[in-house]
Amino acid sequence: MGNLERHAAKPENPPTSSPGKAASAKARSSRAMGASANRWVVLAAAGTFNALVGAVYVWSIFYSSLSSTYGWAPQATAFAYSLYIVSECCAGFLAGWLQNRMKPGILSLCGGCSFAAGWFFAGFADAIPLLYMTYSIMGGIGSGIIYNVSVSTATAWFPDKRGLANGVCVGTTGLSPIIFAPLGNFLITTMGVSMSFHICGIIFAVGVVVASRFLAAPPKDWTPENWIRGDRSSIQEDGLTTLQMLKKPTAYLMWLLFAVAASAGMMVIGHAAGISEQLAGLNTDQAAAQVGILAVANFAGRLVFASLSDRFGRYPVMLFCMTVTAATMAFFLGKADSFVSLTTALCVIGATFGGMMATMPALTADLYGTKHFGQNYAFMFSGYTCASIIGPMLAASVLAHTGSYLPAFPAAGALTCAGLVLVAATAFMAKREKEQKRNAKK
């Protein structure tokens, strides 16, 4: 690995220096070389953090058990998840601000401890307010911090492979239910929901302590060997602050794009079991299997399409994913009345949704740089927070009024089609901003 990456190129005619200064510079270079050789380890640590964040996707297992154990109203219990998502979103802004003031390892450890403590102390919650304080607020804040820090750090290490790095990071989030859904179900069945929260909190604490030791920022002025800044590099090499970013039209187009692009996928993820039972008549075990299949497709899509975006560009990949999503939602999902056809439709939606989710952070870094990526992506990620409400609520409302999921599918497809316009508009405005910057230098 040491031969694959290096410091930024030295000047052609460096000034002469004393032997002591030369030795000091060589030592600094060696330390940077040693640090840069570990960028794949950093990526593995970031992926571990995101796998822990993905545990929130098994909330439905805990939700059912909490409602039956304590007799809480379904709406009050369900609000714990919504509050968690809001807390996670708000914490992303805090994490982005703190990243320029704290080392990633320390910040991720602090956020991870809050995340683990939220789950652990939720086991003592015998009243709704306590559940909100522990799981929703403590856990949500911690989740938002470690997600933001891990994605930002991985992105900084891979300017040459941003799509791949983001695909691995957010891909592990989508794959997480494969691990935590069976674990959570086993723990609740054998030990009860309270003890399950305790055990999960302990597991998460161990995970964050280990992963935080390997999460570090790249050395200053470091770049991969033989990497040349290309067309998909940042418009601003030094990186735009959030206030500067918000003066760009692309910022608002990107936010709307994130909200629209993720809505269909979040609808299917939030109602995968119910959709499987209603459309294909699957039993409970088969419907649960579909949730796992959807998670695998989600992970594969994040990894594959994000890597393809490094080669073919972010916008073409986004357009492809959204076109396929819209067509599947509008014309195919509603006709999936067998296990095979439903599995195929869910795999397609899961993969394209994952591709969009992994491409968005890379596109954010392309447009606005990596120096203030944490805060900038926190703004973009709030669009995903809206999507996590729009998609599932649309399906729930349609089901409540019609008794069927079917009318919700073409509506989600139409919403995704609107995203195609946003992708084209973002690409046009980004090109225009880049040209303006080039003209300003002349």
Side-chain angles (χ1 to χ4, degrees):
M1 290 300 299
N3 294 328
L4 294 177
E5 295 138 356
R6 61 174 173 78
H7 249 130
K10 297 178 181 179
E12 293 182 0
N13 299 307
T16 58
S17 58
S18 65
K21 291 183 178 180
S24 176
K26 184 176 181 180
R28 288 195 300 270
S29 177
S30 298
R31 287 196 297 271
M33 287 286 288
S36 66
N38 293 322
R39 70 171 181 165
W40 294 99
V41 176
V42 174
L43 181 59
T48 300
F49 274 120
N50 281 274
L52 299 179
V53 169
V56 69
Y57 289 142
V58 302
W59 161 251
S60 59
I61 299 174
F62 287 84
Y63 161 77
S64 300
S65 184
L66 285 169
S67 297
S68 59
T69 300
Y70 296 106
W72 295 336
Q75 296 87 344
T77 309
F79 182 71
Y81 175 79
S82 299
L83 183 57
Y84 182 103
I85 297 297
V86 172
S87 300
E88 184 180 53
C89 177
C90 294
F93 290 95
L94 175 64
W97 181 78
L98 290 174
Q99 279 182 68
N100 293 328
R101 294 161 177 82
M102 295 176 65
K103 294 181 178 180
I106 297 175
L107 183 55
S108 63
L109 179 61
C110 293
C113 288
S114 176
F115 172 71
W119 279 77
F120 181 83
F121 288 115
F124 295 112
D126 56 1
I128 285 290
L130 291 178
L131 181 67
Y132 294 165
M133 291 174 60
T134 54
Y135 173 81
S136 302
I137 297 178
M138 289 180 64
I141 288 175
S143 177
I145 291 175
I146 60 179
Y147 177 84
N148 188 286
V149 174
S150 60
V151 173
S152 299
T153 305
T155 301
W157 276 103
F158 289 85
D160 54 334
K161 296 181 177 68
R162 282 175 182 158
L164 173 64
N166 284 284
V168 171
C169 276
V170 300
T172 52
T173 304
L175 192 63
S176 183
I178 296 295
I179 300 172
F180 290 111
L183 176 62
N185 188 56
F186 170 77
L187 292 175
I188 290 174
T189 302
T190 57
M191 301 181 184
V193 66
S194 295
M195 184 56 67
S196 298
F197 272 121
H198 293 326
I199 294 175
C200 286
I202 294 172
I203 293 174
F204 297 159
V206 173
V208 300
V209 169
V210 174
S212 64
R213 293 178 60 86
F214 300 98
L215 200 69
K220 186 178 180 180
D221 298 327
W222 172 88
T223 58
E225 187 177 7
N226 298 326
W227 176 66
I228 300 175
R229 188 175 295 274
D231 290 339
R232 290 192 293 275
S233 299
S234 306
I235 292 177
Q236 294 285 342
E237 295 184 9
D238 296 332
L240 297 177
T241 65
T242 302
L243 289 178
Q244 291 172 329
M245 180 188 73
L246 292 177
K247 295 179 181 178
K248 305 289 185 180
T250 50
Y252 303 97
L253 291 171
M254 284 275 288
W255 189 94
L256 289 172
L257 175 59
F258 211 161
V260 169
S263 292
M266 291 304 297
M267 171 190 291
V268 174
I269 290 174
H271 294 270
I275 291 172
S276 300
E277 292 173 0
Q278 186 181 100
L279 266 63
L282 304 186
N283 59 39
T284 304
D285 292 337
Q286 291 174 325
Q290 292 292 341
V291 175
I293 292 172
L294 182 62
V296 173
N298 191 351
F299 170 76
R302 295 182 187 219
L303 195 60
V304 172
F305 285 116
S307 298
L308 289 175
S309 75
D310 286 329
R311 182 175 181 180
F312 299 106
R314 317 295 181 206
Y315 301 114
V317 169
M318 286 289 291
L319 286 170
F320 176 82
C321 288
M322 297 185 74
T323 300
V324 173
T325 298
T328 305
M329 294 296 296
F331 303 113
F332 299 109
L333 183 57
K335 299 178 181 179
D337 56 359
S338 67
F339 184 89
V340 174
S341 61
L342 179 66
T343 300
T344 302
L346 291 183
C347 282
V348 170
I349 293 171
T352 52
F353 168 73
M356 291 183 287
M357 287 295 297
T359 305
M360 284 298 293
L363 183 56
T364 302
D366 288 349
L367 293 179
Y368 312 114
T370 57
K371 184 176 182 180
H372 304 282
F373 176 83
Q375 286 179 288
N376 294 342
Y377 186 61
F379 171 78
M380 298 302 173
F381 192 75
S382 65
Y384 167 78
T385 303
C386 290
S388 68
I389 298 173
I390 294 171
M393 288 301 296
L394 175 60
S397 298
V398 169
L399 181 64
H401 286 86
T402 67
S404 172
Y405 285 109
L406 293 178
F409 301 152
L415 192 61
T416 308
C417 286
L420 295 172
V421 178
L422 291 171
V423 173
T426 303
F428 173 79
M429 293 304 300
K431 183 179 180 180
R432 184 176 178 181
E433 290 174 6
K434 201 165 189 174
E435 290 175 349
Q436 289 175 346
K437 181 176 181 294
R438 287 172 178 170
N439 294 333
K441 288 184 176 180
K442 294 179 180 180

